[in-house]
Amino acid sequence: MNKKYLSDEQIAFFNANGYLTVKDIITPDEIEHYKDIYNDFLSKKIDVGANRSDLGDGLGKSKTKESITQIMWPSDFVKELIDMPFHQRALAISRELIGDDAEMDFDMLINKAPNTNTITPWHQDEAYWLNVPDKRAASCWLALDEATVDNGCMWFVPGSNLKEVRPHRFAGKEGGALTCDATENEGVYIELKPGSCTFHQGRTLHYSRGNSTHTERRAFILNFRPAEMIKYERERGFDHGRNNAGDRKLKNDDFKD
């Protein structure tokens, strides 16, 4: 394929380490537009019903607000998102990383509000998913605010994409976040400026600290995989919360702790 965004070296890094940083996938003006849409979701001006949940339920100390706000399938509620720059550029990059047959599997918003200070536990995305035959996947994590260690930037364990999925369990409340045994000593943190993003594979170990600052940490996530594997998932009733929001059971017994 004709590469538009990535060099051979970047693709090799992604394959070897399981993650990649891509700077400035959207422009400053585009960032402001996305923030406006994002805030309409957070304020509930856009009502998503059961597609909104607290990923940090059972992990945070706050009783009055969500510890980690997760909104699944924002593009179902704001249809034009699919044709906007982030989705289109991330799709093009995902095809350079995992193949021309990549399509968007799902999208989501994950927000860490100021001073919520709730970690997203160490995990591998593959533990949440069906055990599909073709494991190729690329998740894009876009920072709409500056992402720092103190407000919850991403950490990755380099090379974990080349190893097995570790045993997972519920981190807090059943139906909430999954976790596995890993530590920051294994990982590297990736701070991002607004408009920049990371891509990571389905087996790449990752986590983020809580937001202990007075500022927002808004992230927009897209996941891509081969079109045939999306069809495989849907035929088995698995749609990443589109119709079964809150279903966070481990989908593969081999991953259970």
Side-chain angles (χ1 to χ4, degrees):
M1 67 179 295
N2 293 323
K3 294 191 294 296
K4 179 179 179 181
Y5 290 98
L6 303 179
S7 66
D8 290 339
E9 290 76 17
Q10 286 175 301
I11 294 170
F13 184 93
F14 178 78
N15 289 333
N17 293 280
Y19 71 95
L20 178 70
T21 302
V22 176
K23 295 181 179 179
D24 302 322
I25 193 172
I26 58 174
T27 68
D29 286 344
E30 290 164 349
I31 292 167
E32 294 309 310
H33 188 195
Y34 279 100
K35 282 183 178 178
D36 288 342
I37 295 171
Y38 204 113
N39 290 341
D40 284 345
F41 279 104
L42 291 180
S43 69
K44 299 186 179 180
K45 181 178 179 180
I46 301 172
D47 185 6
V48 301
N51 281 46
R52 180 172 181 149
S53 64
D54 185 357
L55 184 60
D57 193 10
L59 300 176
K61 296 180 180 179
S62 174
K63 303 298 182 184
T64 59
K65 60 183 175 181
E66 294 159 332
S67 298
I68 305 172
T69 302
Q70 182 180 56
I71 295 171
M72 298 301 300
W73 291 98
S75 59
D76 276 0
F77 300 90
V78 180
K79 302 290 186 183
E80 58 266 31
L81 282 169
I82 292 292
D83 296 316
M84 286 172 57
F86 175 44
H87 283 67
Q88 291 300 307
R89 292 170 195 160
L91 175 60
I93 292 170
S94 75
R95 288 174 173 168
E96 293 184 25
L97 290 171
I98 66 172
D100 287 339
D101 56 347
E103 297 290 349
M104 192 188 83
D105 192 6
F106 64 95
D107 55 1
M108 63 178 171
L109 311 178
I110 297 183
N111 182 59
K112 293 194 174 186
N115 301 304
T116 45
N117 206 19
T118 302
I119 68 165
T120 302
W122 284 104
H123 67 282
Q124 292 157 289
D125 293 337
E126 201 174 307
Y128 282 103
W129 301 339
L130 293 184
N131 191 16
V132 298
D134 186 339
K135 309 296 186 190
R136 286 178 292 148
S139 295
C140 181
W141 194 99
L142 169 68
L144 292 179
D145 305 290
E146 185 172 6
T148 67
V149 171
D150 290 334
N151 76 3
C153 73
M154 293 282 273
W155 291 66
F156 300 105
V157 175
S160 54
N161 57 304
L162 303 176
K163 300 178 182 179
E164 295 302 311
V165 176
R166 297 184 184 183
H168 281 65
R169 58 191 179 274
F170 287 114
K173 181 180 178 181
E174 184 167 343
L178 300 177
T179 191
C180 65
D181 292 333
T183 68
E184 288 185 358
N185 291 334
E186 300 177 72
V188 296
Y189 62 85
I190 307 295
E191 295 186 315
L192 295 172
K193 296 295 184 183
S196 295
C197 65
T198 57
F199 284 81
H200 67 271
Q201 298 184 30
R203 197 165 282 199
T204 305
L205 274 160
H206 57 287
Y207 120 114
S208 63
R209 291 182 184 177
N211 184 358
S212 60
T213 74
H214 299 299
T215 60
E216 298 282 352
R217 197 234 61 184
R218 289 164 287 193
F220 201 144
I221 298 98
L222 309 179
N223 181 268
F224 304 93
R225 70 173 73 243
E228 280 299 310
M229 294 301 98
I230 297 173
K231 179 181 177 183
Y232 181 96
E233 290 178 322
R234 302 299 187 267
E235 288 174 346
R236 287 155 181 79
F238 187 64
D239 62 8
H240 302 278
R242 189 175 227 160
N243 296 299
N244 58 349
D247 179 7
R248 294 189 169 275
K249 295 181 175 63
L250 284 160
K251 300 297 179 181
N252 185 330
D253 286 342
D254 291 342
F255 301 155
K256 291 182 179 177
D257 200 346

